[in-house]
Amino acid sequence: MKIYKNHIAAKIAGIIGDDKDRIKSLLEFPPSEAMGDLAFPCFTLSKGMRKSPNIIAGELKDKIEKDDMIERTEAAGPYVNFFVNKRHLISTVIDQISDEGYDYGKSDEGSGKTVIIEYSSPNIAKPFGIGHLRSTVIGASLKNIYEHLGYNVVSINHLGDWGTQFGKLIYAYKTWGDETKLNDDPIKHLYELYVQIHQEEEKDKELVELTRREFKKLEEGNFENIELWRKFSDLSRKEFQKIYEMLGVDFDSDTGESFYIDKIAGIERNLKERNLLKESRDATIIDLEKYELPSILIRKSDDTSLYATRDLAAAVYRKKEYNFDKMVYVVGVAQSLYFRQLFKALKLMGNVWADDCYHVSFGWVKLGEEMMSTRRGNIVFLEDVLTRTIEKARKIVEDNSPDLPDPDSVANAVGIGAVIFADLSCRRDTDIAFDWERMLDFRGNSGPYIQYSHARLCSVIRKYGKELKKEYNTDLLLLPEEYSLAKMLSLYPDVIKKAAEEFDSFYISNFLLEICGIFNTYYQKYRSSDDRILSSNNDLADSRLALANCTRIILHSGLKLLGISAPEMM
Ligand code: ARG
């Protein structure tokens, strides 16, 4: 739609003598096709022109001349609605997508700009939670989206590898630990120790002091404790890596919280100089009462550091290291208040760039009953959930198409695709329920449904059996579904931009579902008629194939932005 936006904005700007870019930013997509393809709201002109927006819309409509791009205009209340020339649109879109391929929708809006996206960030020695999965999937997708728009993206896994819990773990390991168990199933053993020490601490308050001392020793660099911590950390990282490999996710940096302990002194100095620190019941805090926020605990009475202090140090370090234009934290909604406190503190420390920091929060994920049955001990391991999803996908894929050359890789793509799509198919701030039946439903709003539509397109192209034509006549594409499809494809670049602006891949997943909806109706409706895609009329078949190929390109590209692979056969 971009070329039409530019064209219409230039026309309006010429008529009313205004800035083209300003007009362009006002153009909207009407809610239904009956209201045209683009709409210009006249409200903002009302004051300067001293007329009602409805009158302005009427007058403006009369002054706009039709041309080969604009077929019709209409004044509807305070809006001027534009109907673009259908022939022009179909031909432009198909030419452009055929020409640009997977680069369609790329832009240079991000050129020269750096965005940090922090995601995943699970905690060492604890199971990789389902919430961390959602963070991982959302963050990885945002990374793809921002890269598509030309940004330099730095992805960071802020591992939870420091904190008082390590004092507890070290104490528990020294007391009840078992090296064989640790090496066999590290997360399970560490988690058991973690649960045990919590229970014991409840019974015996003296233990709290003992575990605290172990953490203090760790912060002071005690050799034995550092060695244990390193071992826990290495084993956990290896376990997490398995999950990242299954998901096809990686990071530019995985410096966890521990990386910032030697940078905390500088932060505290700054806070002190600015008079931001306050002593309160033996602890040091930043008082944020003035801003109607709870205070931030910076240092505890025993002199050990805290999560927030390490986050302040991390933000300052990242600004210095990467000079980001934006920094995004993909973390669950439970930490919303925390991030407001954090950004406020950064601002008070004199960092104007605190305004460029965003908490991209997301809702809770509930595991379906059947998934809960993958428990080991009493914890659900994400790796088990993923493995079982792939097994289930394999069964479905084999039932559907017994002759696939490489069922393993298809099952993998479908299983993982199903999980990723389930995480991205609703607005990120909504809670979601994960269950196998729904996420693997080939006919439902699922990842496999989109992958299947993509594979169907690949199969149509294979059946065509020739090289796609460079010359085709789009004037032959007269079915209403063909226009709807082309028009939808033309919106892809706008959808990517919207997803980036709102940090929400949902716009893309939803868009892909719409494309599949239109395409599958089109395919089913005409499949046994003369109007089928592979028409017996060669010219028609060439043109329809061009459109089919563009649809394939967009599905493939969109899935990739979500982090999902697109098998050609399934
Ligand atoms: N490890 C934390 C948790 O599991 C999430 C870290 C979020 N990022 C941050 N910079 N605080 O709750």
Side-chain angles (χ1 to χ4, degrees):
M1 269 300 143
K2 201 164 126 200
I3 57 163
Y4 300 99
K5 265 192 177 167
N6 282 328
H7 182 68
I8 292 170
K11 274 196 157 201
I12 300 177
I15 294 168
I16 61 177
D18 204 326
D19 176 52
K20 184 187 137 199
D21 287 331
R22 199 184 81 86
I23 301 288
K24 199 169 125 189
S25 71
L26 293 174
L27 285 171
E28 294 174 12
F29 293 116
S32 80
E33 221 166 84
M35 294 158 94
D37 301 298
L38 282 165
F40 179 68
C42 300
F43 308 103
T44 54
L45 303 179
S46 188
K47 209 165 154 212
M49 293 185 169
R50 295 160 180 259
K51 284 181 205 162
S52 82
N54 292 33
I55 294 186
I56 300 174
E59 291 176 357
L60 189 56
K61 180 216 163 279
D62 291 336
K63 286 191 194 136
I64 292 168
E65 280 171 26
K66 276 163 260 158
D67 55 29
D68 61 342
M69 290 173 79
I70 298 163
E71 192 170 272
R72 190 154 68 85
T73 51
E74 202 178 73
Y79 288 91
V80 183
N81 293 336
F82 294 83
F83 295 77
V84 307
N85 181 309
K86 290 189 165 55
R87 296 292 103 218
H88 189 276
L89 183 139
I90 291 199
S91 120
T92 326
V93 170
I94 297 184
D95 283 351
Q96 203 183 347
I97 301 177
S98 307
D99 191 41
E100 295 176 11
Y102 299 130
D103 286 341
Y104 184 62
K106 282 200 172 157
S107 91
D108 54 7
E109 77 161 62
S111 112
K113 296 195 189 110
T114 295
V115 176
I116 291 188
I117 304 184
E118 188 214 276
Y119 55 96
S120 199
S121 314
N123 300 315
I124 296 292
K126 285 205 196 147
F128 193 111
I130 198 79
H132 295 119
L133 169 70
R134 198 156 186 214
S135 167
T136 310
V137 164
I138 294 175
S141 169
L142 289 178
K143 174 180 169 161
N144 297 335
I145 292 170
Y146 272 90
E147 278 174 350
H148 204 75
L149 295 177
Y151 289 85
N152 169 37
V153 179
V154 181
S155 55
I156 301 183
N157 189 358
H158 189 68
L159 287 169
D161 63 356
W162 206 252
T164 43
Q165 71 271 27
F166 287 94
K168 296 185 203 294
L169 262 182
I170 289 169
Y171 180 88
Y173 187 76
K174 285 180 181 171
T175 318
W176 308 292
D178 177 329
E179 197 167 353
T180 319
K181 280 191 189 164
L182 181 68
N183 290 324
D184 285 353
D185 198 343
I187 308 248
K188 179 152 182 258
H189 187 52
L190 290 171
Y191 190 69
E192 283 163 355
L193 289 173
Y194 189 73
V195 171
Q196 187 172 1
I197 186 70
H198 268 274
Q199 285 165 351
E200 299 293 328
E201 275 185 344
E202 288 290 307
K203 284 185 254 162
D204 179 359
K205 291 292 168 208
E206 247 170 60
L207 275 183
V208 179
E209 177 54 25
L210 294 175
T211 64
R212 204 190 53 73
R213 262 189 234 163
E214 295 293 354
F215 180 54
K216 185 137 172 42
K217 268 159 69 184
L218 181 66
E219 283 225 307
E220 288 163 358
N222 169 285
F223 183 76
E224 192 191 0
N225 284 11
I226 291 274
E227 281 304 295
L228 278 177
W229 166 80
R230 203 185 305 282
K231 178 153 184 142
F232 300 159
S233 176
D234 289 347
L235 288 168
S236 298
R237 280 170 186 259
K238 253 195 224 143
E239 292 296 310
F240 296 161
Q241 195 49 38
K242 287 191 210 160
I243 291 172
Y244 296 135
E245 269 161 30
M246 289 175 102
L247 295 170
V249 166
D250 58 11
F251 302 91
D252 298 314
S253 153
D254 63 356
T255 40
E257 293 182 39
S258 63
F259 180 74
Y260 302 101
I261 30 182
D262 64 356
K263 299 168 180 64
I264 281 171
I267 296 295
E268 289 188 18
R269 220 175 307 122
N270 178 325
L271 289 166
K272 206 169 192 169
E273 277 163 22
R274 289 176 190 262
N275 246 333
L276 293 167
L277 291 183
K278 226 167 109 174
E279 298 304 317
S280 153
R281 278 192 260 118
D282 291 345
T284 312
I285 60 162
I286 307 177
D287 183 354
L288 296 175
E289 204 187 326
K290 253 200 267 167
Y291 311 97
E292 293 178 23
L293 288 169
S295 20
I296 303 184
L297 197 54
I298 289 294
R299 180 163 284 274
K300 285 198 291 193
S301 50
D302 64 2
D303 245 16
T304 51
S305 69
L306 284 143
Y307 181 59
T309 329
R310 295 189 287 274
D311 253 331
L312 289 173
V316 170
Y317 171 84
R318 290 171 186 173
K319 182 67 192 176
K320 262 209 208 104
E321 182 73 13
Y322 303 105
N323 193 22
F324 58 79
D325 295 276
K326 258 184 209 175
M327 173 154 67
V328 171
Y329 296 84
V330 186
V331 184
V333 63
Q335 297 191 36
S336 291
L337 181 62
Y338 169 72
F339 279 103
R340 281 171 52 211
Q341 294 168 280
L342 185 72
F343 299 159
K344 178 53 88 183
L346 284 170
K347 193 78 183 273
L348 292 173
M349 286 165 69
N351 303 306
V352 274
W353 49 263
D355 290 338
D356 307 322
C357 297
Y358 301 84
H359 172 212
V360 168
S361 76
F362 55 84
W364 301 90
V365 186
K366 225 181 105 201
L367 285 187
E369 246 168 69
E370 206 195 339
M371 281 186 181
M372 293 300 281
S373 66
T374 56
R375 272 189 219 124
R376 248 191 268 170
N378 52 13
I379 3 163
V380 174
F381 281 76
L382 185 62
E383 196 192 329
D384 298 346
V385 171
L386 295 180
T387 310
R388 281 286 293 281
T389 314
I390 294 169
E391 277 167 25
K392 281 178 178 283
R394 185 173 173 126
K395 248 193 99 7
I396 302 177
V397 165
E398 279 180 347
D399 286 350
N400 286 354
S401 356
D403 306 322
L404 279 180
D406 187 2
D408 279 338
S409 85
V410 174
N412 227 344
V414 170
I416 297 297
V419 170
I420 296 181
F421 195 85
D423 255 323
L424 300 176
S425 58
C426 311
R427 270 172 209 286
R428 60 177 162 78
D429 49 12
T430 45
D431 296 348
I432 53 173
F434 252 32
D435 74 77
W436 276 314
E437 204 168 318
R438 207 142 31 113
M439 64 167 72
L440 286 167
D441 180 357
F442 277 47
R443 276 177 290 266
N445 289 349
S446 69
Y449 166 64
I450 295 172
Q451 289 172 317
Y452 188 72
S453 310
H454 170 266
R456 171 176 272 171
L457 279 155
C458 293
S459 143
V460 170
I461 295 170
R462 271 196 308 274
K463 280 202 193 114
Y464 177 62
K466 309 182 259 187
E467 280 276 304
L468 292 166
K469 291 268 159 42
K470 292 251 180 312
E471 301 293 322
Y472 40 78
N473 182 1
T474 53
D475 283 343
L476 301 174
L477 300 174
L478 294 167
L479 300 172
E481 291 82 4
E482 289 169 339
Y483 177 67
S484 303
L485 194 53
K487 159 120 191 259
M488 203 68 197
L489 297 179
S490 78
L491 295 175
Y492 186 52
D494 298 282
V495 169
I496 301 175
K497 270 180 90 156
K498 179 88 176 161
E501 259 163 42
E502 310 242 330
F503 307 113
D504 204 339
S505 313
F506 151 82
Y507 290 99
I508 292 175
S509 59
N510 195 49
F511 171 78
L512 296 181
L513 287 175
E514 289 197 52
I515 299 258
C516 291
I518 304 174
F519 168 71
N520 285 312
T521 315
Y522 169 55
Y523 177 85
Q524 300 289 5
K525 189 166 160 189
Y526 304 108
R527 65 184 302 182
S528 34
S529 79
D530 270 354
D531 277 328
R532 64 177 180 278
I533 299 180
L534 286 168
S535 165
S536 50
N537 171 330
N538 282 341
D539 290 343
L540 249 174
D542 293 345
S543 312
R544 293 209 172 120
L545 256 296
L547 175 60
N549 186 46
C550 292
T551 313
R552 176 195 67 80
I553 290 172
I554 300 301
L555 290 187
H556 188 285
S557 161
L559 283 170
K560 224 171 128 216
L561 292 186
L562 298 181
I564 299 177
S565 48
E568 290 184 10
M569 279 188 222
M570 59 185 272

